[in-house]
Amino acid sequence: MQATSVVEEPPVTVVHAGRNFPAAISDIRRGFGQRELWAYLGWQDIKQRYRRSVIGPLWITLSMAVTAAGLGLLYSQLFETPIGTFLPYLTVGFIVWNFMLGCMTDGSDTFISNEGLIKHLPAPLTVYALRTVWRLTLMFAHNMLVYFAVLAIFFSDLVRDGYILSSGGAPQPGLDWTIITAVPAFVLIAVNGTWVALLFGIISTRYRDIPQVVNALTQLLFFVTPIVWPVDILAQKFKETGSWQMLVAELNPLYHFIQILRAPLIGSEQSWHHWVVVLGITVLGWALALLAMRNYRARVSYWV
C-alpha cells in the first residue's frame, strides 16, 4: 500500500471586516505602514499628469507664480497695501489654500477614482487617502518654490520689525526663528487632510452628489477666507468691539489652518488660539473618520 502524503496548507490570515473599531484602527495603521505603496502611487499620479510635457511638474510652479503675481499686484492696489508685504501674504495663502482645496475636492473622489485598485488590490482603504494627500504634498512642495522666490525678493520687507500688511494695520514682528513652526504646522494640516479624504471619500462613494456640493462650497469658502484680503481690513472697517463682521474670519475653520502656516512663513504675529482650534478640529475630524471607517469601510468596495 502506498502512503498518502498530506500537504500542509499555509495558514490563512483572517481579515476582520466587521463593524468594529479594531478593524477600522487596523486599516488605518496598516495604511500608514504601507508608505512605499501610497508614496509610489502618488508619485505616479504626478508623472502621468505631466506625461510628455516639456517642463513637467514645473507647470505647477509656473501656474502658482502667475496667479500670485497677477492677483498680488491687483489687490495690493485695490486695498492700498504695500506690495512688499502683501504679495508674500497672498502667495503663502494661495499655496496653503490649494493644498487644503485638494484635500477636500480630490479627497471626495479618493475611492471613486481608485475603483479598479479597490476591487482588485487587497490594500487598506487608508492607502488611497494617503495617496491623495501625498500627491498634494508633492504639488505643495513645487508651489513652495514660488514662496522662496518671493521671499528672496522681499526679504528686507519681511524681516523688518513692525511691518504692516495693510495701511493702518497692526504691526507685525517680522521673520525670525519662529519660522521653524511652519514644519509642524504643515504636518498638522496634512494629518487633517487625511481624515478629510477618508471621511469625504466614504460619504461620496455612497452619495455621488457630494463632490459637486463640495466644489460649490469651496468656491464660497475661498471668498470668505482671508486669502486675498487681510483681516486688518475688517478690523479697520468695523472697529466696534465684538462686531459680528469680525466673526467672518474667526468662525471660519479654514482661516485658522491657513494662519498657523502662513504666520511663521511671513513673519506675522502668531496666536495660540489658532493652534487650539486646529487641534480641536483634528481630534473631532479623526473621531468622525474613525466612526465612518467602522460603519462603512466594508461597503466601499460595493459602492464604488
Side-chain angles (χ1 to χ4, degrees), residues 237-258:
K237 188 173 181 60
F238 307 103
K239 296 181 179 179
E240 310 87 30
T241 304
S243 177
W244 66 268
Q245 289 89 347
M246 291 297 297
L247 297 178
V248 171
E250 291 297 330
L251 293 181
N252 183 354
L254 298 181
Y255 165 60
H256 302 283
F257 280 92
I258 290 178

Side-chain angles (χ1 to χ4, degrees), residues 96-205:
V96 183
W97 167 258
N98 278 355
F99 180 83
M100 296 192 304
L101 177 65
C103 290
M104 291 184 287
T105 56
D106 293 1
S108 299
D109 289 326
T110 290
F111 302 129
I112 298 174
S113 59
N114 286 285
E115 175 184 356
L117 287 176
I118 291 176
K119 290 183 176 180
H120 298 93
L121 181 66
L125 287 181
T126 311
V127 164
Y128 306 108
L130 291 170
R131 173 187 186 176
T132 300
V133 175
W134 177 243
R135 179 179 70 247
L136 295 170
T137 300
L138 294 175
M139 296 174 66
F140 176 86
H142 281 89
N143 287 332
M144 284 298 291
L145 296 176
V146 181
Y147 162 74
F148 290 120
V150 171
L151 179 63
I153 296 172
F154 301 108
F155 184 76
S156 59
D157 296 284
L158 295 176
V159 296
R160 188 175 70 252
D161 185 15
Y163 81 84
I164 58 174
L165 290 171
S166 61
S167 180
Q172 307 298 328
L175 279 174
D176 53 22
W177 64 269
T178 58
I179 193 174
I180 63 175
T181 60
V183 176
F186 176 75
V187 172
L188 191 57
I189 293 175
V191 168
N192 278 270
T194 306
W195 74 253
V196 167
L198 283 172
L199 181 61
F200 286 20
I202 291 175
I203 298 175
S204 297
T205 55

Side-chain angles (χ1 to χ4, degrees), residues 32-101:
F32 277 95
Q34 297 185 16
R35 54 184 175 276
E36 292 184 359
L37 176 59
W38 50 260
Y40 173 79
L41 292 174
W43 177 245
Q44 288 299 310
D45 289 340
I46 298 292
K47 292 180 64 176
Q48 289 296 323
R49 180 175 179 178
Y50 296 98
R51 186 181 181 185
R52 297 181 181 176
S53 173
V54 177
I55 61 176
L58 285 179
W59 278 115
I60 303 173
T61 306
L62 289 177
S63 175
M64 175 58 63
V66 171
T67 302
L71 293 181
L73 293 172
L74 173 63
Y75 281 96
S76 65
Q77 297 301 313
L78 292 177
F79 297 144
E80 298 180 352
T81 59
I83 187 66
T85 55
F86 181 74
L87 186 56
Y89 173 89
L90 182 141
T91 300
V92 178
F94 258 115
I95 293 174
V96 183
W97 167 258
N98 278 355
F99 180 83
M100 296 192 304
L101 177 65

Side-chain angles (χ1 to χ4, degrees), residues 203-268:
I203 298 175
S204 297
T205 55
R206 178 63 179 86
Y207 304 100
R208 296 303 174 93
D209 294 325
I210 297 300
Q212 307 304 323
V213 173
V214 172
N215 286 327
L217 288 178
T218 51
Q219 296 181 30
L220 173 62
L221 289 172
F222 173 79
F223 291 105
V224 299
T225 304
I227 300 172
V228 299
W229 50 272
V231 179
D232 289 344
I233 292 179
L234 289 180
Q236 296 170 43
K237 188 173 181 60
F238 307 103
K239 296 181 179 179
E240 310 87 30
T241 304
S243 177
W244 66 268
Q245 289 89 347
M246 291 297 297
L247 297 178
V248 171
E250 291 297 330
L251 293 181
N252 183 354
L254 298 181
Y255 165 60
H256 302 283
F257 280 92
I258 290 178
Q259 198 60 17
I260 64 171
L261 183 53
R262 178 169 57 188
L265 288 177
I266 66 172
S268 181

